[in-house]
Amino acid sequence: MSAALNPRTDEIAVTPLSAHIGAEIHGVDLAKPLAAEQVAAIRAALLKWRVVFFREQFLTHEQHVAFSSQFGELTLGHPVFGHVDGHPEIYSISKFRKATRFEGQSLLRPWTGWHTDVTAAVNPPFASILRGVTIPPYGGDTQWTNLVVAYGKLSAPLRGFIDGLRGIHKFTAPSGASGTSEFEQAVKERSLVSEHPLVRVHPETGERALYVSPSFLKSIVGVTPRESQALLELLWEHVTRPEFTVRFKWQKGSVAFWDNRSTAHLAPSDIFDLDFDRQLYRTTLVGDIPVGPDGGASIAIEGSPVAAAAAVELN
Ligand code: SIN
C-alpha cells in the first residue's frame, strides 16, 4: 500500500442512527486516497443505510472531488443551476441559492421541499456528496427518508397497483409560489422533463423503491388529474413518515453521502427564520436510467441526459 493511502482498513466503524436509514462512519480520512477495502466498506454501508455521514473532514474543493471520484464519475455541479467558478464538479448549496428563490406564499404541505436530486433528468445522479463549511450553531438540519422501506410498508394491493405506473418529473416553483426571474430563466434555458416509473428497481440490490420525488413529480401518466393528485398526495404523505427518516445535525467538516436511487431528502427551511449563514458544497455522481418492475425504462421528454463533467465542454 502506498504511504499516501489511508493506513488502516480495519478501523472503519459504522454506527447506525435510526431503524431504517442513516449511519455515521468513523475511522477514515476522506482527504487521502482510500484503499480498495475502504471504498468497498463505504459502498456497502451506503447500500445498507442509504445515507452515510462522516465527521471532522475538512476537505478542499479538490479533495471533495477526489473523494467523490473514487465512487463514480462526477457530473457538472448542477445541470440547471450551474457550478462554482473554476470548479465544474462543485455545486454551491448557499442559503439563498437560485434553486430556492421564490416569490409569493407557497402552499405548505407535510411533504413540501422533499425531493430526490435532479429527477427531472432521465438519468438522475446515483449519489450526492454534501460537505458542510459554514454551519449555523442551531437549526439547519437535513432529513432523509428510505424509499425502499416506504415501498415495503405499503399494502400488497396498492404495491401491485402502482408497480405499473409512471410519472412526469420537472423543475417548477413550489405550488402557490412563482420562481424569481433568475430561477425561471435557468429552468427555461436548460429545460429538463422526464417520465420515470413510480417504482424503481435498485440496479445494485434489486430492491423496489417508491420513486416519488415530491418536489419534481408533477403527475401520474394515464389517470385523471384528480386521481393523480389524490394518489400522489397519499404516496408523498407515506414516504415522509417520520419512522422512515433520519435527521442529521451538521457541524463544520461533516460530510453526507447518499444514494439517490433509494432516498429522498429535505433541505432545512428553518434557516430562513434565523440570521445565521449556511454554506455547503455538493458533488453528484452520474446515474443510470431508472427501470420499473416491468422492465420499462425512464424516458427523456425534454433535455439531455446528465453527462460526466469530464465529457462536457464549458464555454
Ligand atoms: C440538497 O438538497 O442537496 C441540499 C440539502 C441541504 O441543504 O441540507
Side-chain angles (χ1 to χ4, degrees):
M1 190 190 301
S2 128
L5 286 179
N6 275 271
R8 300 281 299 268
T9 58
D10 56 351
E11 286 183 349
I12 287 195
V14 179
T15 308
L17 297 181
S18 79
H20 296 300
I21 182 167
E24 276 200 14
I25 297 186
H26 295 276
V28 62
D29 180 353
L30 305 191
K32 294 182 184 161
L34 303 175
E37 296 90 327
Q38 289 172 314
V39 172
I42 294 169
R43 275 198 94 101
L46 181 70
L47 288 180
K48 178 165 183 181
W49 292 106
R50 320 288 176 185
V51 53
V52 292
F53 306 106
F54 304 86
R55 297 283 190 190
E56 308 268 314
Q57 308 284 342
F58 303 100
L59 306 182
T60 61
H61 287 336
E62 289 79 5
Q63 288 167 335
H64 187 169
V65 168
F67 168 68
S68 308
S69 68
Q70 296 169 96
F71 295 89
E73 282 187 302
L74 282 86
T75 69
L76 280 185
H78 195 287
V80 175
F81 299 114
H83 55 80
V84 171
D85 283 349
H87 298 276
E89 301 94 345
I90 302 271
Y91 177 47
S92 167
I93 305 269
S94 60
K95 184 167 171 178
F96 298 107
R97 63 190 182 281
K98 232 184 273 175
T100 55
R101 273 188 246 152
F102 305 112
E103 281 160 356
Q105 275 276 313
S106 65
L107 171 62
L108 293 177
R109 295 166 301 177
W111 51 85
T112 297
W114 282 89
H115 66 282
T116 298
D117 287 328
V118 200
T119 60
V122 71
N123 62 336
F126 109 71
S128 303
I129 301 171
L130 184 62
R131 85 177 205 270
V133 172
T134 305
I135 303 299
Y138 50 88
D141 304 351
T142 309
Q143 296 171 69
W144 285 262
T145 192
N146 183 336
L147 301 178
V148 171
V149 168
Y151 176 80
K153 297 272 187 186
L154 289 173
S155 67
L158 188 53
R159 284 202 303 265
F161 176 61
I162 62 168
D163 272 353
L165 294 179
R166 300 166 69 85
I168 305 297
H169 295 237
K170 61 177 157 185
F171 281 96
T172 55
S175 74
S178 61
T180 58
S181 52
E182 269 187 305
F183 173 94
E184 298 295 358
Q185 197 183 334
V187 167
K188 204 163 139 203
E189 273 172 15
R190 290 176 280 273
S191 182
L192 280 179
V193 183
S194 295
E195 181 186 300
H196 294 299
L198 248 55
V199 176
R200 178 177 187 176
V201 178
H202 194 289
E204 289 190 70
T205 65
E207 299 161 302
R208 293 181 184 190
L210 188 48
Y211 201 58
V212 291
S213 178
S215 298
F216 293 117
L217 174 53
K218 303 301 170 194
S219 59
I220 299 178
V221 177
V223 302
T224 67
R226 178 71 188 118
E227 288 167 347
S228 172
Q229 183 195 25
L231 188 51
L232 285 177
E233 292 193 349
L234 177 84
L235 297 175
W236 289 333
E237 180 188 290
H238 178 74
V239 293
T240 54
R241 287 180 67 92
E243 64 270 34
F244 308 151
T245 70
V246 67
R247 181 175 184 130
F248 185 63
K249 280 213 165 298
W250 291 93
Q251 294 164 336
K252 188 176 165 61
S254 301
V255 171
F257 183 176
W258 64 92
D259 184 346
N260 278 307
R261 303 163 300 186
S262 60
T263 62
H265 57 279
L266 178 66
S269 49
D270 63 348
I271 50 174
F272 301 108
D273 298 330
L274 296 167
D275 288 332
F276 307 117
D277 195 12
R278 183 176 186 269
Q279 175 70 61
L280 300 90
Y281 293 98
R282 193 178 83 189
T283 56
T284 43
L285 302 177
V286 176
D288 55 4
I289 295 181
V291 171
D294 59 1
S298 300
I299 298 168
I301 295 173
E302 282 178 36
S304 315
V306 175
V312 179
E313 238 175 76
L314 297 173
N315 42 27

